[in-house]
């Protein structure tokens, strides 16, 4: 299967503004790119690439004053297989976790483990150890939160969404991540493309998707408490402790995002 | 000058509990250690050391049920010089910042840059660029917050302390860090020992201290908005995005910290 | 100046085989990358990135049975300046060396300091301290070894090349590193791209280059005893104790490298 | 059980000489020290402690010209239990190994995996996966090498001892480590104290012992191909890639080790 993914962001900047972008298909999928995943800007500016501490390839540029467009379009080869369910994946006790997973047990901007710890233990201490426990967390989050684009907020945290019970996909992910970490299961945030391949057409405008990965049985596994069914055609962009680390665009100055478009379509479908 | 630093933590654990500790003198001070900086536990358990993503040497252990003591004691050679003031250190524009500093511009658990950005620009956009701007932030934080041990809270964030105006040294540091980041100045949290060397004896029981570093003129510089004067004999333990990354102890299970002692004394003084 | 660097490796594997690759432009050059430095495989496999203990970004993957190609291509901005000569850089006495340099004084797989110590002191104890001593070592190595691609061997060490007097660039580097370490000068191995920019066209097929860095005057400096003149357009890939740490590919199973291509060209030249 | 461990090294130095020492009981055993593990020198010199890249606490000092003695003596609490046999510990396939273990698959000064790979696969590819394979390697090494103090040589490698078939405990360990790494099992070198507790008195003068650890089932396990039976009272000093990383003393200049004594005795026995 081939998937056409892409984005177009239209900004207005009052002054020259440094920007960091997380918009490339993740390096782990580089070999699936049927054509190079180039980023283009109008007006054209020089870009520089660097790898952040999580291994994501980020782009730095200086946006000139005025209208500024960033766009990219890629074709990604995909197995067409749905998210893998590994129901027998075990949970590692903390002393056996690899060192590189430990930072994904700590609190972070949008995942206040300190505030949610008692709640988590109250809800999940009798859930089965391992995959079943992460599944129980996803079941809870999916049932607890009402989805709605209008509930999106850049400052909304796991604690906030736990209390308000309304949010978007990133809020589902943040709450599930925080609850996993409270239960001593390393969890990290993922952002990327997720279309409605193999499903009824979704009439709402597309956005980037947020989901998460949990560390079980010696590997990281995909979970998506918003959609809550294995999905086809997930294309990763970046991973981090939470959405603060993998913002699509971090702008260092005032600006207006005037329009915004994302696409994820099966080619030939 | 030689400084004797050390700690004794007394816990009670209901069950075997994994713990991560950040209690060693920082590796950047290693050459100043007169002997290895060992951690001892009672009852004795085996410890494992690892380096986290910030370069801090952390210790992992499993605390047994019951009373558990962790203690350490080191002798550190010190220049005896106060914190350096580099008033002419310039501020880098974002495009010139080294990649490894960029993560210290992002929001983190206790430093909500998203919430504080407008406030920061309102307060500091006319402050001089560079060292003066960080100094202005420290002046503001020092005046804005009332210090009091009773105001300590593990969940208190920069946003909280900005609004409540009461806190401990880590809250001063978190607010200043968040404000620096809002102004596009990389800032990172530091924890360590800070006694009253060269000053009137402080009668309150000692605790670990929290301060921060800002990136100016191609280097990281020490700032301490709580004490707000250059101090002598600061001994770094660990650095991170905020206190969530460098908690003295991260415990993976219920526990009670029953008593707690920290010392920092000039030898022969 | 812009340099186009890249590689194509064609393997045959009899069975699924784990591979670790050191093929990305080094993170210290990240700001010079005009776009992400992606690695692509045919057939496509998922890759994982991690940072080794020296800070190099490595790639892990599982090569499927059969023909397997790995390729990458990057554009690197470069000053166009030749390797810097800092003839006045001093040599640190061992007690003043930073801790993190000390491991680069020890023996390693291809640099047997124990075997070469007496020889080194015999040859270089009267050479000037500092830059001049490393230069004397490079002069010696350059004169002592005959270059020839046919002399390459994966098991050849500094001791071997000292005695056989024939080798390739990595052997020149290993012998010079071992001799520097014997003289108490920290030295580390570098691998990367080095074309013939600004020089007569070299008709031989390109390979990755090996050179080394020595620690003098508080910094690491580039030395290249194979080429023995300052060169333009060196693009670092990885650093380690010797070539064992930064093998382009470490394969965990039998395989055949069927063909191999490396390029390093000035764009627009 | 309490074990009294200690050492006395008597050197003669013709000139002031920097020395790095690996002589402290390993930090993982710090809590088992019944009294502090101090190092004393005669004449007294200032020492500095630092942590190497493996986490070992090393000591730096400058030995003055003339006779120089280094001595230490500690009392270590010990469970008295023999080395643990975990015969069911699984072997991880390379893609599932934690990142921090991967460096222990590479070749190193005394463990030439490149030279021994074919031999290893010829000997052990039919041995059971996991603990049994490491056991088979230890069985082979124990039978293949004849022990004798007179066979000690500072330059002897795994390849050398495989061919000469004679060596001391460090050679047994190096050969077993190299063979484990060839079979894709991470292995690291250990040095420490090992007396004859619970066994017939060994009449030979004591030396420090060398053994190794292999990574199986998510943890590092002790193996000792020289002694080849579970032993009591092993006291770790340091770990590294091989003996080059954890030399008891690395001296940066000529010297004579005039006498040398090590002790490891059960107290009250």
């Amino acid at each position: 299967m081939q998937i056409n993914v892409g984005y177009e962001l239209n900004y207005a900047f009052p002054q020259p503004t440094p920007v960091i972008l997380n918009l490339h298909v993740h390096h782990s999928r580089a070999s699936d790119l049927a054509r190079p995943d180039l980023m283009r800007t109008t007006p054209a500016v020089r870009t520089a690439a660097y790898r952040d501490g999580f291994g994501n390839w980020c782009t730095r540029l200086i946006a000139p004053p005025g209208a500024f467009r960033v766009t990219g379009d890629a074709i990604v080869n995909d197995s067409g297989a749905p998210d893998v369910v590994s129901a027998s994946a075990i949970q590692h006790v903390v002393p056996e976790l690899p060192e590189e997973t430990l930072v994904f047990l700590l609190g972070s901007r949008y995942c206040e483990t300190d505030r949610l710890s008692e709640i988590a233990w109250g809800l999940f201490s009798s859930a089965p150890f391992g995959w079943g426990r992460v599944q129980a967390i996803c079941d809870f989050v999916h049932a607890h939160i009402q989805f709605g684009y209008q509930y999106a907020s850049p400052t909304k945290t796991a604690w906030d969404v736990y209390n308000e019970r309304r949010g978007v996909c990133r809020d589902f992910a943040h709450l599930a991540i925080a609850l996993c970490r409270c239960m001593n299961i390393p969890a990290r945030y993922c952002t990327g493309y997720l279309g409605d391949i193999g499903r009824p057409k979704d009439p709402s405008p597309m956005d980037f998707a947020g989901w998460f990965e949990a560390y079980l049985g010696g590997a990281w596994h995909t979970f998506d408490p918003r959609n809550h069914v294995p999905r086809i055609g997930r294309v990763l962009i970046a991973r981090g402790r939470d959405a603060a680390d993998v913002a699509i665009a971090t702008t260092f100055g005032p600006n207006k995002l005037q329009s915004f478009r994302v696409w994820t379509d099966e080619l030939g479908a």
Side-chain angles (χ1 to χ4, degrees), chain A:
Chain A
M1 177 193 297
Q2 287 198 311
I3 307 175
N4 175 221
V5 299
Y7 58 88
E8 183 185 309
L9 311 178
N10 285 288
Y11 283 96
F13 289 98
Q15 63 195 45
T17 306
V19 182
I20 295 176
L21 297 160
N22 252 306
L23 278 167
H24 284 288
V25 169
H26 193 255
H27 62 84
S28 59
R29 297 295 299 269
S31 306
D32 292 325
L33 290 168
R35 62 162 195 256
D37 171 35
L38 299 179
M39 178 185 294
R40 288 163 210 281
T41 69
T42 316
V45 298
R46 213 179 118 182
T47 61
Y50 74 96
R51 214 157 192 162
D52 69 15
F54 303 100
N56 303 307
W57 278 103
C58 305
T59 304
R60 300 171 81 170
L61 56 81
I62 305 175
F68 185 68
R69 182 168 61 193
V70 186
T71 184
D73 186 74
I75 293 173
V76 183
N77 298 317
D78 195 88
S79 69
D83 298 331
V84 175
V85 175
S86 305
S88 63
I90 61 154
Q91 181 175 336
H92 297 275
V93 293
V94 174
E96 284 172 13
L97 286 170
E99 294 162 10
E100 69 265 22
T101 65
L102 296 175
V103 73
F104 298 106
L105 289 177
L106 304 181
S108 59
R109 171 65 190 99
Y110 299 114
C111 301
E112 308 103 318
T113 48
D114 44 9
R115 285 189 178 280
L116 286 159
S117 186
E118 271 187 57
I119 291 161
W121 283 92
L123 288 168
F124 305 112
S125 53
S126 59
F129 227 59
W131 184 277
R133 194 163 277 195
V134 181
Q135 190 57 53
I137 288 171
C138 290
D139 293 346
F140 168 80
V141 168
H142 186 74
H144 186 76
I145 308 180
Q146 183 190 348
F147 181 87
Y149 286 113
Q150 69 276 30
Y151 307 134
S153 155
T155 64
K156 190 178 285 190
T157 66
W159 174 250
D160 294 338
V161 76
Y162 174 76
N163 289 298
E164 291 177 22
R165 306 189 57 171
R166 299 186 304 200
V168 293
C169 59
R170 88 171 201 160
D171 303 310
F172 285 73
H174 282 152
L175 180 53
I177 289 168
L179 296 171
C180 285
R181 292 180 187 168
C182 290
M183 304 310 290
N184 300 344
I185 301 170
R188 61 189 185 187
Y189 186 83
C190 297
T191 185
Y193 296 98
L194 179 61
D196 46 20
I197 293 168
R199 304 179 54 80
K201 194 80 197 156
D202 182 339
S204 5
M206 260 210 69
D207 196 351
F208 292 104
W211 63 87
F212 79 100
E213 291 174 346
Y215 190 82
L216 296 168
W220 291 96
H221 300 269
T222 297
F223 290 90
D224 181 346
R226 152 74 177 109
N227 291 300
H228 210 49
V229 291
R231 293 289 291 266
I232 292 169
R234 212 177 279 278
V235 178
L236 182 68
I237 290 176
R239 297 188 187 107
R241 287 166 72 169
D242 62 28
D245 291 338
V246 295
I248 289 308
T250 305
T251 49
F252 297 95
N255 66 84
K256 211 165 179 177
L257 178 56
Q258 301 194 297
S259 75
F260 172 74
R261 213 157 55 83
V262 180
W263 52 93
T264 311
D265 301 302
E266 188 180 353
L267 276 186

